[in-house]
């Protein structure tokens, strides 16, 4: 199972990098994105090679079995170096170029020291583990300590600087991608901290696994997936966001349809197109456009019904909402629904309440965007069809209209 997760992580990394290279074809290659792709490729290759250290075929070749754990460690250190370079590349200014050179030099020194310590420890690979004698425990501990310190430094630097860069950006796919990468950095910090366990194990017993456990492999896979997602979100995020908006628009259309249908039955002139030619997809295959038009038609219907509103209806509905202890947003929607229900009853009966007998009812102000207004109208439609307060106002209005007609 561990090998499967490790190979899957390697495959995800390779496919992700190839996809990112395909997106770069013919376009500018940003340094930060280039280093991030190199990080993904290095870490993915390391994860893909780890299962071979436990392979019986590799164990039969002592030189390969000896070098493979070191190669995987060096690949991880290389990945961490690219991660730090990514963080420094997203900062503005020439001042970071010396920092990038110093970081690269520091990583090269660490990689060289790790290789020397691995050799000095006189490591012996045994069934997927590496063992050292009592004389080599100090070198093995220093080997693990250097690796852990380098990992924590690079990942922490990356997470901090990319987080700062994301905070400076406005809403958009680029900021979303950077935030995904920051989450990957947080996972990487946790993954790096887990290197403390083999450090202690190697110091105490002179023996440690050359691979990773299932938990560590899963964290590594999750980190790679989020890094690749952050690198490529500008390519696929827009398409997914558009589909989500269309699905949301279809849902809102279904929610406000009872309200629109009731208004159209009494005031058919509000429709910009006859219902027989309408569909949820709209004339251009865009349900967002259809939703926008329906919202306008509902608001036009409200204006057309102002002359049919009984002056006491808002007060009746507000008093009932207070008695029911509804929250402010629900109260606004219920009062608006009750006003529409009463006005529709009066319009159907041909009853008008001309100014100054009534000054109508002004719906509560909402943010000037389609999503907020359609959500508010969906609450109004829900109250219009299901609220007992609206049903009570509707019955009271019918009673008054019947009394007026019998008295007239």
């Amino acid at each position: 199972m561990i090998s499967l997760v490790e190979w899957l992580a390697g495959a995800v990394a390779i496919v992700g990098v190839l996809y990112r290279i395909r997106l770069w074809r013919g376009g500018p290659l940003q340094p930060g994105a280039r280093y991030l792709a190199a990080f993904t490729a290095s870490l993915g290759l390391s994860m893909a090679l780890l299962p071979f250290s436990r392979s019986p075929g590799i164990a039969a070749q002592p030189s390969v079995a000896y070098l493979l754990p070191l190669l995987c460690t060096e690949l991880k250190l290389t990945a961490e170096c690219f991660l730090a370079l990514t963080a420094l590349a997203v900062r503005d200014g020439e001042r970071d170029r010396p920092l990038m050179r110093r970081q690269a030099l520091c990583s090269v020194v660490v990689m060289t020291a790790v290789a020397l310590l691995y050799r000095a420890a006189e490591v012996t690979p045994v069934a997927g583990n590496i063992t050292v004698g009592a004389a080599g425990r100090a070198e093995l501990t220093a080997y693990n300590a250097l690796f852990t310190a380098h990992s924590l430094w690079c990942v922490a630097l990356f997470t901090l600087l990319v987080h700062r860069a994301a905070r400076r950006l406005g809403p958009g796919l680029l900021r979303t991608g950077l935030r995904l990468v920051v989450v990957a950095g947080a996972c990487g910090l946790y993954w790096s901290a887990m290197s403390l366990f083999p450090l202690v194990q190697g110091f105490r017993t002179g023996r440690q696994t050359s691979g990773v456990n299932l938990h560590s492999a899963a964290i590594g896979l999750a980190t790679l997936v989020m890094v690749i997602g952050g690198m490529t979100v500008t390519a696929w995020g827009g398409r997914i966001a558009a589909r989500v908006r269309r699905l949301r628009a279809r849902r809102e259309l279904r929610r406000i349809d009872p309200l629109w249908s009731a208004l159209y039955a009494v005031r058919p002139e509000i429709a910009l197109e006859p219902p027989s030619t309408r569909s949820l997809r709209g004339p251009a295959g865009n349900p967002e456009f259809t939703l926008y038009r329906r919202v306008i038609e509902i608001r036009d219907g409200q204006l057309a019904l102002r002359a049919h509103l009984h002056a006491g209806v808002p007060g009746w509905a507000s008093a009932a909402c207070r008695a029911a202890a509804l929250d402010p947003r629900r109260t606004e929607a219920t009062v608006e629904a009750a006003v529409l229900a009463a006005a529709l009853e009066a319009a159907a009966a041909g009853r008008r309440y001309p100014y100054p007998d009534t000054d109508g009812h002004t719906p509560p102000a909402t943010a000037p965007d389609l999503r907020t207004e359609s959500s508010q109208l969906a609450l109004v439609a829900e109250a219009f069809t299901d609220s007992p307060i609206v049903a009570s106002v509707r019955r009271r209005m019918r009673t008054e209209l019947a009394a007026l007609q019998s008295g007239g």
Side-chain angles (χ1 to χ4, degrees), residues 91-111:
R91 299 180 67 183
D92 297 327
E94 296 291 326
R95 62 185 180 185
D96 286 335
R97 290 191 176 182
L99 289 177
M100 293 173 70
R101 285 194 291 269
R102 285 197 291 270
Q103 174 61 53
L105 179 61
C106 177
S107 295
V108 169
V109 170
V110 170
M111 293 168 67

Side-chain angles (χ1 to χ4, degrees), residues 3 7 10 20 39 43-45 70 82 111 119 155 160 178 187 204 210 221 225 228 253 274 313-314 335 342 378 407:
S3 298
W7 276 325
R20 194 66 183 94
F39 157 78
L43 185 59
L45 185 58
L70 177 61
F82 282 127
M111 293 168 67
R119 178 179 177 83
V155 177
L160 177 63
L178 287 180
C187 290
R204 294 180 58 186
S210 59
L221 174 60
V225 168
I228 293 169
L253 280 167
V313 171
V335 171

Side-chain angles (χ1 to χ4, degrees), residues 4 55 69 152 194 229 256 267-268 274 282 294 320 359 396 398 403 406:
L4 177 61
S55 170
L152 291 173
M194 292 179 69
I256 68 175
R267 284 285 183 269
R294 289 269 175 103
D359 58 356
R396 183 172 178 177
R398 287 173 181 171
S406 62

Side-chain angles (χ1 to χ4, degrees), residues 134-216:
R137 290 188 185 182
E139 288 81 358
L140 180 62
T141 301
Y143 164 88
N144 287 322
L146 266 179
F147 173 78
T148 302
H150 185 268
S151 300
L152 291 173
W153 162 255
C154 291
V155 177
L157 177 68
F158 169 82
T159 305
L160 177 63
L161 294 184
V162 175
H163 174 64
R164 288 179 179 174
R167 289 179 60 184
R168 293 195 299 267
L169 296 175
L173 291 176
L174 182 57
R175 187 173 71 174
T176 300
L178 287 180
R179 284 180 171 177
L180 273 175
V181 172
V182 169
V183 174
C187 290
L189 273 175
Y190 175 67
W191 192 48
S192 299
M194 292 179 69
S195 301
L196 293 171
F197 293 104
L199 188 154
V200 175
Q201 181 188 25
F203 177 75
R204 294 180 58 186
T205 66
R207 179 186 180 92
Q208 70 181 56
T209 178
S210 59
V212 295
N213 56 36
L214 180 60
H215 181 67
S216 180

Side-chain angles (χ1 to χ4, degrees), residues 188-277:
L189 273 175
Y190 175 67
W191 192 48
S192 299
M194 292 179 69
S195 301
L196 293 171
F197 293 104
L199 188 154
V200 175
Q201 181 188 25
F203 177 75
R204 294 180 58 186
T205 66
R207 179 186 180 92
Q208 70 181 56
T209 178
S210 59
V212 295
N213 56 36
L214 180 60
H215 181 67
S216 180
I219 293 295
L221 174 60
T223 301
L224 284 170
V225 168
M226 283 184 284
V227 168
I228 293 169
M231 286 194 305
T232 59
V233 69
T234 53
W236 52 263
R239 292 193 292 270
I240 291 181
R243 291 178 182 176
V244 170
R245 287 196 304 270
R246 287 196 292 270
L247 288 173
R248 185 183 294 121
R250 290 175 184 275
R251 184 193 64 185
E252 295 300 298
L253 280 167
R254 287 190 291 269
R255 292 178 68 191
I256 68 175
D257 186 67
L259 184 62
W260 181 88
S261 298
L263 288 169
Y264 176 76
V266 176
R267 284 285 183 269
E269 65 272 16
I270 66 171
L272 299 176
E273 291 182 10
S276 59
T277 65

Side-chain angles (χ1 to χ4, degrees), residues 9 23 45-46 49 80 95 100 109 188 253 346 362 378 392:
L23 296 177
L45 185 58
S46 171
L49 288 176
E80 293 159 3
R95 62 185 180 185
M100 293 173 70
V109 170
L253 280 167
T362 303
S392 175

